[in-house]
Amino acid sequence: MSIYDDTNPWSAKGFSHPETPAVPHPPARSRRLDLELDEGARRLTLLERDHNALQRAYEEQRARLSQLETRLDAFMAVQAREREDVPSNDHGAHHVIAREYDAFVEQRVQGLARAAGNSTHGLVPAGVPAALWLMSQICTVLFGPTEPGTAAVLAVLGRGRLDPLAPQAARLRDIALDLRRRSTQTGLPCHWDFELVPGEPLDEEWQQAWASCDRRLPGQFVIAPAYIVAEHVYSLQRVYTNVSIPN
């Protein structure tokens, strides 16, 4: 018997019956859509993984911050008990002022000094970093014995009242006045201490070398004064150290 169906002429030639439907291939557009969906699913998986990692890091940082706050509260409570001459409310207020003062010096005062440091011919001793010297002069104006003025800040920078840095100087003056005012409102004796004997080693109880200076070298000038409240140091004096200041 022939393997071909004699009644089907298409069979003898190896073809399927004309009425038998061929298996259709998926259109190109459908394949592209499948690929795009696969790529979207892959990206979504990666984003979910990154989100989970960030969430874990965030929770870890929150836990660390909570621990630090707990330790700080405990430390301040102990300090308040030890400093019986300083009422707890005033003690906390001065700690806040000290932290704001530190940030003010490191960010705003340093920022103004760096901005003015490009044109300081004749204002800075030879061999001394211009920004650090100008920081010293700005702090002397802002936290010295007399109330600071914007013109005085600009003067130590060699600038006039119409200079582009004048608004920045005025803002620093306003912040310094606010710190000074709040520091005296508690009624406790407090001051910013500039005392320094050039060439003497630093006293670690109330002085520290500026970050870019060598703490083993003697102090040459005060960059930012110490903040002293009722004979207690709330913020260390920042000092420029070197073997000497070149003439």
Side-chain angles (χ1 to χ4, degrees):
M1 181 177 178
S2 173
I3 62 173
Y4 299 106
D5 183 358
D6 294 337
T7 65
N8 183 359
W10 296 93
S11 177
K13 296 180 181 180
F15 296 102
S16 62
H17 192 278
E19 296 180 358
T20 303
V23 177
H25 292 289
R29 182 176 180 182
S30 177
R31 290 198 300 273
R32 279 200 310 272
L33 181 59
D34 289 341
L35 291 174
E36 290 175 358
L37 288 174
D38 290 343
E39 177 64 16
R42 186 183 70 82
R43 292 183 178 179
L44 184 61
T45 300
L46 292 175
L47 287 173
E48 184 177 8
R49 184 186 64 185
D50 293 343
H51 171 75
N52 291 336
L54 289 172
Q55 187 68 27
R56 289 194 299 270
Y58 171 72
E59 294 297 337
E60 291 174 359
Q61 290 297 329
R62 282 191 60 186
R64 291 177 184 173
L65 179 60
S66 178
Q67 291 176 357
L68 288 174
E69 289 176 343
T70 300
R71 292 170 58 188
L72 178 61
D73 289 342
F75 172 77
M76 292 181 66
V78 170
Q79 293 294 307
R81 288 194 297 269
E82 292 179 352
R83 299 178 178 181
E84 296 179 355
D85 57 326
V86 181
S88 58
N89 289 342
D90 296 338
H91 170 85
H94 283 288
H95 269 293
V96 171
I97 293 171
R99 287 197 298 270
E100 292 181 13
Y101 166 67
D102 289 341
F104 174 68
V105 168
E106 294 170 6
Q107 298 172 17
R108 292 185 175 273
V109 174
Q110 184 172 196
L112 178 59
R114 289 187 180 279
N118 295 327
S119 55
T120 57
H121 181 69
L123 297 176
V124 180
V128 175
L132 299 186
W133 179 261
L134 293 179
M135 286 180 69
S136 171
Q137 304 308 300
I138 294 170
C139 284
T140 299
V141 172
L142 295 179
F143 299 103
T146 59
E147 184 173 294
T150 302
V153 176
L154 290 169
V156 299
L157 302 177
R159 307 295 181 102
R161 63 183 181 86
L162 299 180
D163 190 89
L165 293 179
Q168 192 172 343
R171 179 59 180 156
L172 262 65
R173 181 253 189 190
D174 291 343
I175 296 174
L177 282 176
D178 179 66
L179 291 172
R180 293 165 65 114
R181 175 185 56 78
R182 288 160 54 199
S183 70
T184 58
Q185 282 182 338
T186 63
L188 297 171
C190 56
H191 67 285
W192 277 269
D193 197 322
F194 288 87
E195 184 178 351
L196 173 77
V197 179
E200 291 292 320
L202 300 186
D203 185 337
E204 294 185 355
E205 290 188 1
W206 66 287
Q207 293 176 315
Q208 68 177 11
W210 186 254
S212 59
C213 297
D214 188 340
R215 62 181 178 81
R216 296 168 297 182
L217 295 178
Q220 298 300 333
F221 62 83
V222 174
I223 297 173
Y227 181 49
I228 311 294
V229 180
E231 304 304 321
H232 295 286
V233 180
Y234 279 64
S235 179
L236 295 172
Q237 188 182 87
R238 266 80 89 199
V239 180
Y240 172 79
T241 66
N242 206 336
V243 176
S244 63
I245 297 180
N247 296 323

